[in-house]
Amino acid sequence: MERAPGSAGSGTRRTRSWIGGAVAVLAAGALSVTGLAGTAQAADINVAKNAGFESGLTGWTCSAGSGTTVGSPVHGGAAALKATPAGQDNAKCAQTVAVQPGATYTLSAWVQGGYAYLGAEGTGTTDVSTWTPDSSGWKQLTTTFRTGASTRSVTVYTHGWYGQSPYYADDISVFGPDGGGGGDPAPQIPGAPAGVVAGSVTSSSVTLNWNAVSGASGYQVYRSGTKVQSSSGTSSTVTGLAANTSYDFQVTAVNAAGESAKSATVTARTAQSGGSDPGSGNPAVPKHALTGYWQNFNNGATVQKLRDVPAQYDIIAVSFADATATPGRITFTLDPAVGYGSAADFKADIAAKKAAGKSVVLSIGGELGNVTINSDASATAFADSAYALMREYGFSGVDIDLEHGINSTYLTKALRQLSAQAGSGLVLTMAPQTIDMQSTSGEYFKTALNVKDILTVVNMQYYNSGSMLGCDGKVYSQGSVDFLTALACIQLEGGLDPSQVGLGVPASARGAGSGYVAPSVVNNALDCLARGTNCGSFKPARTYPGIRGAMTWSTNWDATAGNAWSNTVGPHVHGLP
C-alpha cells in the first residue's frame, strides 16, 4: 500500500507535485482563510462559496464521484464533506474562487479522518499546499498565497491519498479582498426541528429523535419547558426520569446566529419499574469464546441442523437475516434446504443450545446482504424488527456483518434502541472486513467504539483481504501469523477491550477465496497476543490475556473438513489465561 510522502506529522509544501494530479476534499476538517496580521482590510471576506457544505456539494467538483456530504462528523453547521480515495483516484474536491490581483489570501480548513491535503493552484505566483496524516479529531490546516498581477481566479482544493481512509473537511475559508464574487451570506437563525419522535424508553429514560435542520450547529432539548440537555446530533437520551410517568419534550436548533423556536411537543411515558429483563434468559458468553457461522443455505458445504454444531462453539451466528422493502427492517426465512421440518423444530434447537450455555445470534448482512440503516426511521425499523425476531425465535442477539458500507451515526442509534428493548443480556457481535478496521475514523470502527459498552466481540475477517497495514505501520500479507497479530493490534490499541477482539478465519481452504491458515497458526496468533509466545516477526509491545477468542466461517465448512478447526482451535481458546 502506497503511503503519502512525508513523515507522520503535518507539513506545508510550496510547490505542486501531486501524483496523478488528483486532489480530494479534506474530510473531517474545515477550511478557513484569515487575513495576514496588519494587512487585512474592511473588504476582506471568505470568498469561498458553500464553505461549510450546508448546500451539499454545490460549488464544488469532486473527482470520480469521490465526494459526498454527511451529517456526522461535522466541525460546524449541519454538514461536512466526506471524500473517499479509491484506486488511482485520491478524492480531489475543488472550487474556483474570484480574487483580486496582487492580493494576499489565507486558506484554511478543518479536517479529520485519513490523509488530508489543502492547496491553491493557478495563483499566478507560487502555488501552495499543506497536508496532515490521519486524525481522529478535527485539525485545522492553514497556508497563505499571493495572487499574480493579473490573476482574477484561483482554484482551491482538498484531497486524500491513494489507498488511505476517507477524509472529512468542513468550514473552508479563503480569506482576503473580495474579488467580485462575494461570499456566503451571514448565518441565519435556523428553523425549528421537525419530526421529533420518542424512540426507546426505559423506566428512567426516553430517547428522542428528530430531523436535521439546515444551518444548525447543535440542538437543545427541553422537558416541560426547561432546557435539560444539549446535543450535537439528531438524537438525545434524557435520563433521570421517574418510572411510569408521562413527560413533554421539545427541541430547538442553534447556531452562531441564535436559537430557533421550539419544535412541536412530543409526549412519552417511561416504562414501569421492576419489569423483567427480556435478555435475562440468555446464557453468559464465556471469557474466552469460539464463534461459528451456521449456514441457512446449501452451498456445497455439509448441511447441518443447529443441533449438529459441535459443543466447542460458544456463539453460533445464524446466517443470514433478509432485508425487506422497508429500509432497515429485517426478517428471517428458514431455508428448506437445511432440512428442518418446521420453524418450531428450528426454535427448539435454539432453545436447546441456549440451555447448554450457548448463544445463538442472527447475523445481518454477509457478502450478498444489503440492509440499509441511514436514517432515524430505518434505525428504528431495524431495532424493532430485530427485537421481534429475537422474541419469535429465541435469538440471544445479533451479529453485524454488513459488507456494503455502514453509517455509524444511524447504526449506533439502531443498536442502542435494540439494546434498550432486549436488555443487558443482549449478545452483540460484529464481523467487519480488514479494510473496515484499519483506522478508528472508519465507519465500522467508529460504530464499534460507539457501542463499546454493549458490544460482546468484534471478529474481524482476516481473509479475502490481500495485504494490509499492521499497528506498527508495516504491510503484512494474509495467510500468516503476523497478519493476524499485527492487525488485531490495531483494534486492541485503538480502543476496544481485549475481551471484544476475536480472530476470524475460514474453517477450510474451501470456505473463502483466500486467506486460509491452518488451525495451528490461529493458535500461535492467540498465544502471541495473550502470552507473548509463538509470535512471528511481529511481536506486540504488550500482551492481551483477556482476548476473547476466534471465529470461523463456517460450522458447515468445518464439518466438511471433519471438524478439524473447532477440534483444534476450540480447546486452545478455552485454555487461554
Side-chain angles (χ1 to χ4, degrees):
M1 179 178 295
E2 185 179 9
R3 294 183 66 84
S7 60
S10 58
T12 301
R13 297 188 295 174
R14 301 293 297 181
T15 60
R16 293 175 59 210
S17 59
W18 310 118
I19 296 177
V23 193
V25 182
L26 281 132
L31 294 106
S32 74
V33 182
T34 55
L36 292 176
T39 64
Q41 302 175 13
D44 284 358
I45 63 170
N46 178 11
V47 298
K49 300 292 185 66
N50 189 25
F53 301 96
E54 305 301 322
S55 299
L57 294 179
T58 301
W60 295 92
T61 300
C62 296
S63 59
S66 57
T68 186
T69 54
V70 295
S72 177
V74 297
H75 178 261
L81 169 70
K82 176 182 180 180
T84 305
Q88 296 303 307
D89 178 68
N90 61 359
K92 177 181 181 179
C93 296
Q95 179 180 142
T96 300
V97 299
V99 296
Q100 284 190 14
T104 297
Y105 291 82
T106 300
L107 171 66
S108 68
W110 289 92
V111 299
Q112 179 177 322
Y115 280 73
Y117 292 74
L118 170 67
E121 55 191 6
T123 62
T125 57
T126 301
D127 292 349
V128 299
S129 66
T130 182
W131 67 283
T132 183
D134 54 335
S135 171
S136 59
W138 288 107
K139 179 186 294 185
Q140 189 178 37
L141 293 175
T142 303
T143 186
T144 61
F145 63 87
R146 187 166 182 83
T147 55
S150 60
T151 302
R152 292 287 181 179
S153 65
V154 170
T155 298
V156 295
Y157 59 82
T158 61
H159 72 78
W161 196 253
Y162 311 97
Q164 298 300 304
S165 302
Y167 67 90
Y168 301 83
D170 201 3
D171 300 332
I172 297 175
S173 175
V174 187
F175 198 80
D178 184 359
D184 285 340
Q188 302 295 312
I189 295 176
V196 181
V197 296
S200 60
V201 300
T202 69
S203 60
S204 62
S205 68
V206 172
T207 297
L208 302 171
N209 301 296
W210 56 88
N211 298 335
V213 177
S214 177
S217 59
Y219 302 90
Q220 306 288 353
V221 178
Y222 290 80
R223 186 186 70 214
S224 301
T226 301
K227 183 168 67 177
V228 294
Q229 224 156 298
S230 299
S231 175
S232 60
T234 56
S235 179
S236 184
T237 300
V238 182
T239 59
L241 306 178
N244 195 27
T245 303
S246 290
Y247 291 92
D248 292 334
F249 299 97
Q250 293 171 292
V251 181
T252 63
V254 296
N255 64 11
E259 184 176 12
S260 74
K262 292 184 175 69
S263 69
T265 300
V266 60
T267 301
R269 176 177 289 275
T270 53
Q272 294 185 10
S273 61
S276 62
D277 183 349
S280 61
N282 291 337
V285 176
K287 177 181 178 181
H288 299 296
L290 200 70
T291 301
Y293 284 79
W294 175 83
Q295 297 177 187
N296 181 39
F297 51 85
N298 181 0
N299 66 345
T302 298
V303 174
Q304 292 179 318
K305 292 184 173 68
L306 284 178
R307 69 192 72 155
D308 302 323
V309 175
Q312 291 289 349
Y313 289 101
D314 304 291
I315 302 175
I316 303 168
V318 172
S319 312
F320 293 98
D322 301 311
T324 68
T326 301
R329 186 171 298 281
I330 59 173
T331 187
F332 177 74
T333 303
L334 193 62
D335 191 333
V338 299
Y340 279 104
S342 66
D345 193 19
F346 175 69
K347 294 174 185 177
D349 272 6
I350 293 177
K353 281 293 183 183
K354 291 174 67 174
K358 312 302 180 182
S359 299
V360 183
V361 299
L362 178 60
S363 185
I364 291 88
E367 179 186 4
L368 303 179
N370 190 8
V371 179
T372 302
I373 306 171
N374 59 4
S375 67
D376 288 318
S378 58
T380 298
F382 174 84
D384 290 348
S385 58
Y387 183 54
L389 291 170
M390 287 178 62
R391 287 181 296 173
E392 179 181 356
Y393 288 92
F395 294 121
S396 299
V398 296
D399 168 70
I400 304 302
D401 185 18
L402 297 172
E403 299 180 6
H404 300 280
I406 65 174
N407 181 306
S408 61
T409 298
Y410 293 106
L411 182 54
T412 297
K413 289 183 178 183
L415 295 175
R416 291 213 168 275
Q417 289 184 46
L418 176 59
S419 175
Q421 296 180 72
S424 59
L426 175 72
V427 177
L428 173 59
T429 67
M430 296 183 177
Q433 300 172 99
T434 53
I435 189 65
D436 295 319
M437 302 299 283
Q438 284 275 282
S439 169
T440 55
S441 64
E443 292 296 289
Y444 229 121
F445 211 144
K446 285 196 294 185
T447 301
L449 295 176
N450 287 347
V451 297
K452 182 178 177 180
D453 57 313
I454 60 172
L455 177 64
T456 306
V457 63
V458 175
N459 292 303
M460 189 173 76
Q461 303 176 42
Y462 293 78
Y463 50 95
N464 295 338
S465 171
S467 299
M468 286 287 163
L469 290 172
C471 67
D472 57 355
K474 297 180 180 179
V475 177
Y476 293 94
S477 299
Q478 65 178 358
S480 66
V481 66
D482 287 334
F483 189 75
L484 301 179
T485 55
L487 269 69
C489 175
I490 296 175
Q491 300 171 60
L492 292 162
E493 294 298 320
L496 293 180
D497 188 84
S499 66
Q500 296 172 318
V501 176
L503 308 180
V505 297
S508 72
R510 297 177 62 190
S514 62
Y516 170 74
V517 294
S520 60
V521 175
V522 182
N523 289 349
N524 287 342
L526 290 168
D527 284 343
C528 179
L529 294 168
R531 299 184 172 99
T533 61
N534 294 328
C535 300
S537 62
F538 171 81
K539 185 172 183 177
R542 58 193 179 105
T543 58
Y544 311 91
I547 190 167
R548 179 67 82 171
M551 170 275 280
T552 196
W553 177 269
S554 61
T555 64
N556 304 76
W557 285 116
D558 188 22
T560 304
N563 293 318
W565 192 88
S566 57
N567 286 337
T568 303
V569 180
H572 200 80
V573 164
H574 298 136
L576 289 172

